[in-house]
Amino acid sequence: MTENQTVQAYTDAWLHSIEAIAELLAPLPTDAWNRATECPGWSVRDVVSHIIGIESELLGDPRPIHSLPRDLRHVTSEFARYMELPVDKRRCHTPVELTGELDYTVIRRSRALRNAKQGPQDLVRWPAGPLSRDLPYEQLLRTRAFDVWVHEQDLRRALHTPGNLDSPAAVVSRDYLVEGLPRVVAKLAAAPAGAAVMFDVTGPLEFRRTVRVDESGRGSVDDSVTLAPDVRLTLDWETYLRLACGRVRPDTVTHAVRVVGDTDLAARVLANFALTP
């Protein structure tokens, strides 16, 4: 695809996912909004508030003036505080108010994306508090498609409404997460030079990837099949997602992960699998 086609693909993936969230919330009873999700410390209501807050900030809306409580155990960093503020501000909002604000935000953001003048490589600001930085417009859209889809899946698991595990945004998210595998294997898990770790992922979005560590200790990933890797991890796509996004600990999903090969290296890989802050 050309760069402009890639921008459109990321935009379409984001829209597909955020509209799916709106449809998921429409018939939701009031008590379901308080269900806990696997996103640490956040309920269904909080995840929706987070999405509204980030998209509103990207539209140029001012951040709310609000003081966070000091007893939020899941807020352990300045980045987490930055993300929590628009969430906590909306904890007193009703489901009707939140769905209305989400719908309006999606309309405004979709219009802004259609009318955007930025080129794929033009630098734009990514609002993330202490992690804020300028990045290419194309990369920002990719990150938003990933983030919204991951939270769509948080909501679906909390509400026991599975779906869209093979959607356009799921494919974007797979590629986004796979790019982090060399760092997981070579750096964080300290796989030795010459090692090969294979990931065999099953389910709605099947794929195989192998990470190889070269003589200098650098990792690379490709889709080739290695006949005798040092480690072979077989797991379903949803478990892969939950591990890679820090939604579950490896020791809670041992039944869903099959390990063949060096068990010590496999344990180090799984212990360092989470890629999101």
Side-chain angles (χ1 to χ4, degrees), residues 2 13 17 19 23 29-30 41-42 54 62-63 76 80 83 126 134 141 156 176 183 203 207 210 213 233 248 255 262:
T2 67
S17 193
E19 286 183 340
E23 292 174 5
T30 300
W42 282 359
I54 294 296
R63 280 175 60 81
T76 58
M83 291 299 172
W126 179 51
D134 292 336
L141 295 180
R156 288 187 178 280
Y176 189 97
R183 179 173 180 268
F207 60 95
T210 301
V213 182
L233 297 171
V248 289
H255 63 284
D262 186 335

Side-chain angles (χ1 to χ4, degrees), residues 76 124 151:
T76 58
V124 294
H151 287 310

Side-chain angles (χ1 to χ4, degrees), residues 202-218:
T202 63
L205 200 60
E206 293 186 351
F207 60 95
R208 290 178 177 175
R209 297 292 186 272
T210 301
V211 176
R212 293 178 174 80
V213 182
D214 65 18
E215 293 305 315
S216 65
R218 295 179 63 87

Side-chain angles (χ1 to χ4, degrees), residues 67-88:
S67 296
L68 282 180
R70 296 182 178 274
D71 59 349
L72 299 176
R73 295 183 179 180
H74 60 283
V75 178
T76 58
S77 66
E78 285 306 309
F79 174 74
R81 288 185 64 81
Y82 186 90
M83 291 299 172
E84 188 73 20
L85 191 145
V87 171
D88 192 69

